[in-house]
Amino acid sequence: MSSGASGTDGRQDHQETGPHAFAARWSRAVHPTTATPLTLAEFEHYLVPLARRLGTALRAPEFDTQSAYEVGAALVDVQCSEPEALPHILGVVDAHLVEYFPTEEIGEDDRRARCSRLQHALAAGFVRELRERTRSEQEAISRAALAARTEAELALYDSEAKFQAVFEGSAIGVGIAALDGRVLVVNDAVADMFGGRQYFDTPRNVLDWVHPDDAPGALDLYHELVTGKRDFFRIQKPHALPDGSVLWANLTVTLLRDSAGRPQYQLTLMEDITEQRQLEERLRYEATHDALTGLPNRTLFLEHLEKAIAGGARTERFGVCYLDLDGFKAVNDSLGHAVGDKLLREVARRLQACVSAPDEMVARAGGDEFVALIARPTAQADAAVLARRMLGALAEPVTVDGRELLVRASIGVVDGRAGEMGRAEVLRSADITMYRAKAAGGNQYVLADADSDARVIAQHSLTTRLPSALENGEFFIEYQPLVRLADGTVRGAEALVRWLHPVHGVLGPDQFIPLAESTGLIVPLGRWVLQEAALQARAWRAEENGRLRVNVNLSPCQLHHKDLVADTVAVLEEVGLCPSALCLEVTETDLIGADEDALRPLRQLADLGVDIALDDFGTGYSNLAYLRRLPVSTLKLDRSFTRGMQRAPADPVDVKIVEGIVSLAHTLDLAVTVEGVETGVQAEHLRMLGCDTAQGWYYARPGL
C-alpha cells in the first residue's frame, strides 16, 4: 500500500522498468500541480535524466544522497515550485522508485532506508533551491533598499526633506531607533506589518521584540552593533503581533554614525517573509509526515531516534516498539486498498492516542508497520507498558464501510542506554523481535533478547552464504552404517550431508537444511548429495560384490519438485548404479494425507527398483492402515520407541509397541530399520523382536 501523496491507483501489471518508465509515471503525477511552461511530453523528457540519477543513487554500492539533493534543485529550475507539487514528487518516489529500479544486491530493509533518505535529500534540495531563488529576489530588493539607506544617510546630513521622501516612499520596511533601542520613526511599510500606525502610538523599544524562537546569539549581535563593535548584521527574526500571530522578517540592521564617526542611530530594513517561512514549514511537514495517516514518517522517526541514541541531559535510556499488523495483506487482497487505507488511518489514530508525553512519539514506518519511541530515564519499563497500551487500543474491532474488522498486531520491544547501540542495530533488533512475536502466534509483544538476535543474524549469514558454499565445495558427506541384526553384517549406509563452514566449522543438516529449503537451494544441494552418494555406492558394490546400498534423504521440497524422477534416473545412469542400490528416505509427516498425484513420483521410482523408506515412523499420526497405499519398502522406526530397551530390564510398554509395529510391517511385506541404537542390550532386544536392520552409535558414528 502506497503512502505517497500522489495516491494509489491499485496494482500495476506493467513489465517496463527504468528511468523512462519512472519518468512517465512521475510526470503524470506532478505536471498538473506545477506552473512549468513545459508541455507534459517536454516535462517527461526533462525528468528522464533525473529519474536515472535517483535510480543510480538507490542502487549504488556506495550510497550517497547528493544526486537526490540536486534532483530536488533541478525540479525548482523548471518552476515545479508550487507548494502542492512536492507531496506528489515525493509520493511517486516513495511508492515506485524501488519498483522501477529493482536490485537484488541490496536487502529490502536497506532499499527502504535508502529510498527514505533519497526522499529527504530531494525535499531538502527542493526547499534549498526555492529558498535561494527567493533570497535572490529578496537581495535585489535589499540592494534597492540599501541604496535607499545610503540616500537616507545623506539626507540626514544634507536634506531632511529629501530623506523623508525616500523613507516614506520605500516599499521595504524602514525604521530608525536610538542606541538604547527606542523606536524613533518607522515608515508605512513597517506600520502595516504590525497592523497599522496605532501599534506605534505606544512607545516601542526594539528589545521588547525579543522572541523565544530568536536565533542563538541574536542579542549579542545587537549589543555589538550599538556599542560600535560592528557596523551591521543580518538576521531572520520572529515578532509577536497583537493578534497572537507571529511575523517573520529578514532584518538588516545598520549602525548610523555622525560626521565624526560616533554611533548615533540604528537603521533597520525589514522585509516580511512570513509566507515564505510558512511555506518552508509546510514543505518540512509534508517531507516528514505520512500523507495517509498524518503521523510522523520514517524519516522524522529516525531523526528522533538518532537524538535519543546520542543521549542528552534527560535521555539516559530509550525504548522502541516496532508494530506490524497481523494478516493485513488479506484485508487489501480481499476487501481492496481503499478499505485497507481506512483501516490504517483508524489504527494510526488509536496508536497516536496512546502517546501523550513530549518524549514519546508514534510514526508510520511504511505499509502496515508503525514504530513508537520513548526517550527518558524510565524507558526500559515504559516501553513494555506502551506496547501493552497499543495492543489494548487495537483490541476493539474497527468498523470500515459497515464491516467489523478485527485488528491484531505483533510488537517487538527494544530498550537501550544512550550511546550503547547504533540506529541500524536498534532497528534490526526491533524487526527481529517483532517477527519473534509474530512467530509465537501474533497479537502480543516480545522483549528483545541479544541471544535471539544473534541466532537470527547468524542464520541470515548462513542463508546468504549457502549458494557460494555449494559452488566452493564446502559440503561433504558422512556415512552411518546400516547393520543387519540377524548376523551383524553391514547392509549399507545412510548418507548424511555436512557443511564445513569457514567460520563456524562443521555444521549438521539441522542447522542448514531448513535454510536451503526456504531459499530453494535444497534442490541443487539434494542432487549433489544424491550424485556423491551414488558414486560411493558404486565403489562399495564393486568392492563387496554388489551387496551394499546407500540411503539418501529427500526433503519436502525435493519430494514435490517436478524433476525428482528425471534427476534421480539421470544420476543413476551417469554414475552407472542400479536402482536397487539406492534407497530414498521420506519422513512420515511429509506423506501424511498425500494424494495420488503427490505419491506418483515415488511410485515411479519404486517401479524402477529404487527402495523407498518411511523415515521417523511413529512421530506423525502413525496411521498403520495408511501404509498399504504408500509405495514404501522399509519403515525406519523413530528412536523414541526404543530408548526403554537400552538397559535391562527393557520397558515392557516399548517392547509391546515395537513388537506390534514389526508384526504389522512384516505382514505388509515391509522391512523395519531402527534408528538410534546405542547399546548392545538394545540391539539384542531389537533382534529378538524381529527388526531387520539398525543404525546408531553402538555400531558406528557417521564418518567419511
Side-chain angles (χ1 to χ4, degrees), residues 134-207:
T134 304
R135 182 173 297 165
S136 296
E137 296 170 353
Q138 293 167 354
E139 286 178 351
I141 296 173
S142 296
R143 283 193 295 271
L146 286 173
R149 182 200 68 186
T150 302
E151 290 187 47
E153 285 184 298
L154 293 174
L156 283 173
Y157 298 136
D158 301 328
S159 173
E160 181 65 26
K162 185 177 179 181
F163 166 77
Q164 195 68 26
V166 173
F167 180 80
E168 292 297 342
S170 176
I172 200 166
V174 182
I176 299 175
L179 295 181
D180 62 3
R182 288 178 297 112
V183 177
L184 302 177
V185 62
V186 296
N187 68 357
D188 289 341
V190 172
D192 291 343
M193 292 180 196
F194 285 89
R197 282 287 174 187
Q198 65 275 13
Y199 177 81
F200 291 94
D201 289 343
T202 301
R204 301 292 177 182
N205 191 298
V206 295
L207 294 177

Side-chain angles (χ1 to χ4, degrees), residues 303-515:
E303 290 180 7
H304 283 256
L305 179 59
E306 288 280 14
K307 293 177 183 177
I309 290 173
R314 298 185 65 256
T315 312
E316 299 174 11
R317 300 194 69 90
F318 64 89
V320 172
C321 297
Y322 198 105
L323 181 149
D324 183 88
L325 299 182
D326 298 333
F328 179 73
K329 183 177 183 297
V331 175
N332 273 345
D333 292 346
S334 60
L335 302 179
H337 287 263
V339 172
D341 285 352
K342 292 178 182 178
L343 176 61
L344 286 175
R345 282 193 288 267
E346 175 60 19
V347 167
R349 187 191 66 78
R350 295 187 185 186
L351 295 181
Q352 181 64 51
C354 293
V355 299
S356 55
D359 49 13
E360 298 177 349
M361 75 174 297
V362 169
R364 184 185 179 203
D368 61 335
E369 296 178 346
F370 298 84
V371 282
L373 174 66
I374 297 177
R376 56 175 174 256
T378 59
Q380 185 173 15
D382 293 345
V385 173
L386 177 58
R388 288 194 294 271
R389 197 156 63 235
M390 290 193 296
L391 289 174
L394 299 179
E396 187 72 21
V398 176
T399 301
V400 179
D401 295 343
R403 299 183 181 89
E404 276 200 352
L405 302 177
L406 294 177
V407 181
R408 292 164 51 89
S410 300
I411 305 177
V413 180
V414 176
D415 75 271
R417 189 178 298 277
E420 291 184 350
M421 304 172 72
R423 186 182 77 178
E425 186 180 358
V426 172
L427 294 177
R428 180 177 61 192
S429 180
D431 189 54
I432 290 171
T433 307
M434 180 272 291
Y435 277 106
R436 283 176 50 213
K438 198 173 286 288
N443 206 37
Q444 61 184 289
Y445 74 90
V446 171
L447 300 178
D449 172 68
D451 291 339
S452 298
D453 289 356
R455 283 194 295 271
V456 172
I457 294 168
Q459 187 179 51
H460 176 73
S461 175
L462 293 179
T463 301
T464 56
R465 187 174 174 82
L466 268 172
S468 60
L470 184 57
E471 295 174 4
N472 296 337
E474 295 176 11
F475 292 100
F476 67 95
I477 297 176
E478 292 185 331
Y479 297 91
Q480 187 170 41
L482 289 160
V483 176
R484 192 192 305 274
L485 286 168
D487 55 15
T489 59
V490 176
R491 175 73 176 84
E494 180 179 358
L496 302 169
V497 63
R498 305 286 190 256
W499 181 3
L500 182 57
H501 194 281
V503 176
H504 303 293
V506 177
L507 303 178
D510 58 317
Q511 294 174 279
F512 63 85
I513 290 297
L515 305 181

Side-chain angles (χ1 to χ4, degrees), residues 527-546:
R527 195 181 194 283
W528 177 85
V529 171
L530 178 62
Q531 189 164 28
E532 292 296 308
L535 287 169
Q536 183 62 67
R538 187 187 65 181
W540 285 335
R541 292 174 79 83
E543 296 171 3
E544 300 292 334
N545 297 320

Side-chain angles (χ1 to χ4, degrees), residues 12-24:
Q12 299 283 337
D13 293 325
H14 60 78
Q15 299 294 324
E16 187 181 7
T17 60
H20 287 279
F22 183 84

